[in-house]
Amino acid sequence: MAPMKGLTVFIADLRKCRSQEDEERRVNKELANIRTKFKESSLNGYNRKKYVCKLIYMSLLGHEVNIGHKEAVDLVNSARFSEKQIGYLAASLLLPESSELMRAVVGCLRRDMYDANECIVCLALCAATNVATREIAESLTEDVVMLLLAPSGSPFVKKKAALCLLRLLRRFPESVKARQWAARVIPYMGHRDIGVTLAVTSLVTALAQQQGDEMRKASTFAVRRLRSLVLDGERVADHMYYGVPAPWLQVKLLRLLQYFEPGEQRSELLGILRRIIDESQEAPRELQQMNAQYAVLFEAINLGIHVDVDQGLMHESALLLGRFITSRETNIRFLGLETMAHLATCIDSLDPVKRYQGVIVQSLRDRDVSVRRRALDLLYSMCDVTSAKAIVAELLRHMAIADAALREEMALKVAILTEKFATEYSWYVDVMMRLVSLAGDHMGDEVWHRIVQVILGNEELQLYACRIALQTLRAPVCHESALKVSAYVLGEFGHLIANAPGCAPLDQLKALQARLPGASLPARAVALTAVAKFTNLFPEIKNLCLRLLDRFRGALDAELQQRACEYYALATVESESLLPTVFEEMPPYPERQSALMSRLLSRETDTEDQRTWVVGGRDINRSRSTRRPADEDAPAAAAAAAEEKQETAQPTATPATTTAAEAAAPTSLDEPPALTPEEEERVAKSRKHYARLLWESDGILYDGAEVQVGMMAQYKPPAARIGLFLGNKSAAAICDISIQAETSDDSGDLVIQQAADQDALPESLMPLGQARVFFDVRCHRVFAAAPTLRISYTLAGAPTVLELQLPVTAAHFMDPVTISVTDFFARWKQLGEATIGESQAVLKTPFLASDADAIQWLRNVAGGMGFALIQGADVVPDNIVAVGIATTEAAGRFGCLMRVEPKPSHSLTRVTIRATNPTLAKAVATNISMIFDAR
């Protein structure tokens, strides 16, 4: 991009500004000039780009920029790459997500994604990734998926498409509808380009966190690729980094496997992890090699902890981690402490970790704050009953010199550990009162609230707590949080020590009153409540308490004034039962999760990939593991595995003379052939797949024991492109693959042929591999019969032929058209009188009575078939009225009207189709009938 002199001068002027005021004056002056220029009609592309660049620079400096939005969209629509680049950059930085212009940007993105220039396509993908609004996720996800799955796409475009999907998935997981395409991206983990492999692996990792069951096949791909890199010695020169084969890919694959249970791959994973750990024993020669090798090693240890494959391996890992936490390299110490914290949350015995307790405590004084934070996490995770006192004492000792950013987290963890592992009441009270005195300014009210809850729930604790509370009030320095705890405890249980020397009611009141002048308003409010309770507990000092309350009746703070007035009024009412009733001792709080634990867990934020563990003990991680997506889907996965095992136990080789036409929707349903129960089940499943593809653009067409056939269609009447995906489900490679599609007759009404711009089919397809082929379809005239798909392959020396019916009918070349209600019924009446083409059927729809969303499903089907719904056209709200136009190349266009009248009470639905072509009306009615039957 050529330098722009005006932009260079403007940046230089801003850099010369000596104050914020000078910069604001220069920015305001330039904004006024830009507004004037934007009003000129003769503004060319170069100047528009220059002024938008100035606005971008102002925005990056933090100035508010609310102009130039339209000009940014104009740049996006430009044919020049440099102007389009600046336009997309401005759209991502200046346009708010709610802007009406964002819709125009979405349209430009879709157009650029299908540009012939690869650079334009990549620019559009990058812009969609950066903007990433909900509208982009809902509108462009399908287009991005097609770019990723396109067989003729370049690796660079595929990589950008995968990263774009990853961004959209993380921001709006419910809008991208990942379940429709997630399984199809898994084979790209084995792509020949490592950039595509890395991007797709990151995408699959994000999908695995949300859809554990659908992504289980990814674990097989990951293990296979790891085996080739680690065990088989795959050495590609472009992928070697200082002697380590593709370390970035190894790290991503090892992290992906942590979201799945190992299952039958446990022994193979053990061999891979063992090799990685053994190779790490050799001292790296260079810093770069050490970074790469240790990155793989730490992720391998994390995977070993997750799999729990071998206790000996974990013991060896603990020894390695002990060496790493004493390393001179800050990064190595950080990773060693973090991984050891993971180890401490999962192993049964903490002895291998406790031997390094002294080193971990020393890490609290590390010069790097991130290392200190990881050391705190590790001490928190490795604490148990035997080591609690020592660890808590070290943390309290370190709290006085700890960073302010670390004190709150440290205080929370000390409070949790003290409550969790306290074996003596006196130790708990001493530690907690010292904690609020040391770190009261750096922690929230949850800590002192929790102290009060624990004291109220333990009678044995209350007497000792009162003594410590009075001592705290008499100390030279009393923190505000300590004052709140002491006031609350004495107000509730001060009578327990009233007879002890130096603890008389008057002594308690004087100690509390001495702290009031320097206390904050919230602390004074708690103290006033304690004084009001003294009027009930100690009648002998009631007059002194009333005098103190009366002093605060004129307080400037409304809260203190209201409390004092109400307490004074209660104490002076002539009723013997009112005061004891109101100030009755607080009952124990019900058992529930500690607010401290909830606050600590809320600090565990997931940024990129969600961790499979949290800092804490084994109990919390075991309860968390039951909520992981992979474990939630475990029953479904077990059922799927059992079903797959049952299918693979059946004969899998079909003779070459036998076809599988019955697997897809058969053309004749009146006389079905005699089938076994297993075949009948498979036919029923295939009919559902076929029916679903009659109104959805992608899905499974055939799912057998050996192969699975997926389909993706994009219709632009009168043309269409059909993508077919053949997946190998068997345990052996299949070869001699042929995929052909042909029409059912020679009339020429429908033309289907393989697309020219695609790769040839592979000679062999490995297990879990996928082959793709695309067909171009043209509708010359309205046709009656759907085309036939013929797939042949050889498995284990036995040839197999599948003949399937492609769900491509005349009804698929329909575009939605919106007309008025008056025009609809006029046209409806006209077609009915002409009897050109009408098809009517009353269909059984038992799901109407049991499914509350059935009516909405009917509307979705009508919309998916290419009809536009006419709202309010029928007096019955549940009836559906829709319009569409079918387009052909040779015969022109044909209108089609639809009325669907559901009767939930009778479980029947009447469907009436009227069209200007009888074949079209029959095709639409047949499709609806098959869709309803499959439901």
Side-chain angles (χ1 to χ4, degrees), residues 218-230:
S219 63
T220 304
F221 276 87
V223 172
R224 185 189 306 159
R225 194 65 186 268
L226 276 175
R227 182 180 63 238
S228 65
L229 290 172
V230 179

Side-chain angles (χ1 to χ4, degrees), residues 31-90:
L31 284 174
N33 177 56
I34 292 175
R35 288 191 182 94
T36 304
K37 295 296 183 181
F38 281 166
K39 293 178 182 178
E40 297 178 359
S41 59
S42 60
L43 189 66
N44 58 26
Y46 172 81
N47 288 325
R48 182 182 291 111
K49 178 178 66 173
K50 178 179 65 176
Y51 294 134
V52 170
C53 284
K54 291 182 179 181
L55 295 177
I56 292 174
Y57 188 74
M58 295 178 196
S59 176
L60 293 177
L61 291 178
H63 298 281
E64 183 178 357
V65 177
N66 51 16
I67 63 172
H69 297 171
K70 180 180 178 299
E71 286 70 21
V73 176
D74 291 341
L75 288 175
V76 169
N77 285 306
S78 174
R80 293 189 175 183
F81 181 83
S82 60
E83 295 179 5
K84 187 181 291 289
Q85 187 179 28
I86 296 299
Y88 278 133
L89 178 61

Side-chain angles (χ1 to χ4, degrees), residues 217-266:
K217 289 185 179 179
S219 63
T220 304
F221 276 87
V223 172
R224 185 189 306 159
R225 194 65 186 268
L226 276 175
R227 182 180 63 238
S228 65
L229 290 172
V230 179
L231 298 181
D232 298 342
E234 178 184 332
R235 296 291 187 268
V236 182
D238 294 340
H239 303 169
M240 295 294 292
Y241 182 80
Y242 288 91
V244 182
W248 313 278
L249 181 58
Q250 288 192 54
V251 168
K252 287 184 177 293
L253 294 174
L254 290 168
R255 184 172 301 168
L256 171 62
L257 289 171
Q258 296 176 38
Y259 296 97
F260 304 101
E261 293 301 322
E264 298 178 356
Q265 301 170 332
R266 184 183 296 270

Side-chain angles (χ1 to χ4, degrees), residues 359-434:
V359 178
I360 300 169
V361 171
Q362 290 297 324
S363 298
L364 288 173
R365 297 171 174 81
D366 195 276
R367 62 180 180 275
D368 190 279
V369 65
S370 60
V371 174
R372 296 197 294 270
R373 193 179 298 276
R374 295 288 83 79
L376 175 61
D377 292 342
L378 178 51
L379 287 173
Y380 175 71
S381 300
M382 63 182 286
C383 187
D384 58 8
V385 177
T386 59
S387 59
K389 289 188 176 181
I391 291 178
V392 168
E394 288 292 344
L395 293 178
L396 288 175
R397 190 179 302 115
H398 182 72
M399 194 171 296
I401 59 174
D403 299 335
L406 202 59
R407 283 191 182 182
E408 180 183 1
E409 184 178 352
M410 188 176 294
L412 283 174
K413 291 180 176 178
V414 168
I416 294 172
L417 293 178
T418 305
E419 178 184 345
K420 186 176 181 179
F421 299 112
T423 56
E424 302 172 4
Y425 294 118
S426 59
W427 180 72
Y428 174 80
V429 175
D430 293 341
V431 170
M432 297 305 292
M433 294 304 291
R434 185 182 175 191

